[in-house]
Amino acid sequence: MNTPSDSSLGREVRYPDQYDPGLLFAIPRRAARAQIGIDEAALPFAGHDRWHAYELSWLDAGGLPQVAVATFCVPCTSPNLIESKSFKLYLNSLNGKVFADAGQVRACLVHDLSACAGAAVSVDFELPPMVAASAAQSIDQQSLAIDCYGPPQAGYLTADTANVVEEVLTSALLKSNCPVTGQPDWASVDIAYRGPAIDRAGLLRYLVSFRNHAEFHEQCVERIFADIQARCLPEWLSVHARYTRRGGLDINPVRLSAGAPLPAPSRDLRQ
């Protein structure tokens, strides 16, 4: 089986002392997408799940440990997402493996991660820059009375059809929970669009309504995309979430419609 309950999530697991690609655990995207009305055969978005690894190591030909950072991109068109704890365990299984050079490490990572995701995964030994000055407008400094923290309430989302704008809105208040362990997942999210002006109070209430919701990072971002697309009818839309690090990894899903500019890869101060 490939459900979250079959994975290593929520279980005490001894960290591996030898290389083991079998640690990687794939979770099919199809079921979660069907729950929010997304047709796997006709995805309404493009994008990827961009992972940043801060704890990557192996041994060189002489047995000397090598360290690196890396960025992995899993296309959203892949049939599977890669479960995060299994990803961490897999990366740690490289700690005692000997490689001739960094190119061999990269080839190993590309092979194993692509096999798990079911599509080509890119690997680069670098990280994107920290977010500098941004044109995004924060919606967090609003004086609102909020009492709904889940499940997500798409009904909060409205837009003014008489006022067409092109803008990027941002919030640092996105939080959801792991569907297996219940541990909190924290993120900043950028919402870029052109179309009827989205009501900012309603958008903030909507994002806060994820606070006690249990769903994987990638699925939360796809839910946000689908709800805004359906309720606010933008001409184009992108949703880019930057989740905080856990176990040496952070994940940054991006979903965008046709015509939307691809957000530049970046990290924020909490990463």
Side-chain angles (χ1 to χ4, degrees):
M1 297 290 289
N2 282 87
T3 63
S5 60
D6 301 307
S7 75
S8 57
L9 268 176
R11 302 180 186 179
E12 184 175 349
V13 179
R14 183 176 63 86
Y15 268 75
D17 56 10
Q18 58 184 355
Y19 166 66
D20 184 2
L23 291 166
L24 288 167
F25 191 84
I27 296 178
R29 300 183 191 266
R30 182 183 298 273
R33 286 174 170 170
Q35 289 176 4
I36 55 177
I38 294 176
D39 183 357
E40 183 82 2
L43 293 178
F45 46 65
H48 55 250
D49 305 325
R50 191 181 72 250
W51 296 84
H52 304 149
Y54 301 82
E55 301 172 6
L56 177 60
S57 185
W58 64 91
L59 303 179
D60 71 7
L64 181 67
Q66 305 294 299
V67 294
V69 293
T71 297
F72 310 100
C73 278
V74 182
C76 72
T77 51
S78 66
N80 307 316
L81 60 85
I82 301 175
E83 188 273 308
S84 60
K85 185 173 182 179
S86 78
F87 201 159
K88 298 162 195 168
L89 290 169
Y90 162 73
L91 291 180
N92 273 276
S93 82
L94 299 173
N95 292 345
K97 182 170 174 58
V98 174
F99 291 94
D101 53 39
Q104 191 178 76
V105 179
R106 182 183 177 280
C108 177
L109 291 165
V110 167
H111 176 272
D112 294 344
L113 296 171
S114 298
C116 182
V121 174
S122 68
V123 178
D124 294 298
F125 289 136
E126 59 183 13
L127 295 175
M130 302 296 290
V131 175
S134 172
Q137 302 173 63
S138 175
I139 63 171
D140 294 344
Q141 308 307 314
Q142 302 182 66
S143 180
L144 298 176
I146 294 180
D147 60 5
C148 177
Y149 305 106
Q153 297 296 312
Y156 287 138
L157 295 167
T158 62
D160 181 1
T161 56
N163 182 20
V164 174
V165 300
E166 184 173 321
E167 63 183 359
V168 184
L169 304 178
T170 188
S171 174
L173 302 184
L174 180 60
K175 173 196 169 289
S176 55
N177 296 325
C178 172
V180 179
T181 66
Q183 292 184 7
D185 295 321
W186 306 89
S188 298
V189 60
D190 290 351
I191 296 164
Y193 72 99
R194 175 176 172 77
I198 297 173
D199 177 70
R200 297 185 182 189
L203 178 59
L204 185 57
R205 286 192 169 98
Y206 169 69
L207 294 175
V208 172
S209 73
F210 278 80
R211 193 167 181 85
N212 293 331
H213 179 60
E215 199 166 42
F216 288 121
H217 314 77
E218 302 94 326
Q219 296 163 354
C220 286
V221 170
E222 293 185 358
R223 183 181 294 274
I224 292 169
F225 181 98
D227 286 345
I228 293 175
Q229 187 71 51
R231 297 277 178 161
C232 301
L233 304 175
E235 296 174 24
W236 55 256
L237 170 68
S238 78
V239 179
H240 178 200
R242 295 185 293 272
Y243 282 86
T244 58
R245 196 183 319 176
R246 186 183 294 168
L249 278 175
D250 64 53
I251 183 173
N252 306 263
V254 176
R255 300 294 184 269
L256 66 160
S257 62
L262 180 67
S266 61
R267 293 177 291 145
D268 70 22
L269 293 177
R270 294 192 294 168
Q271 295 179 308

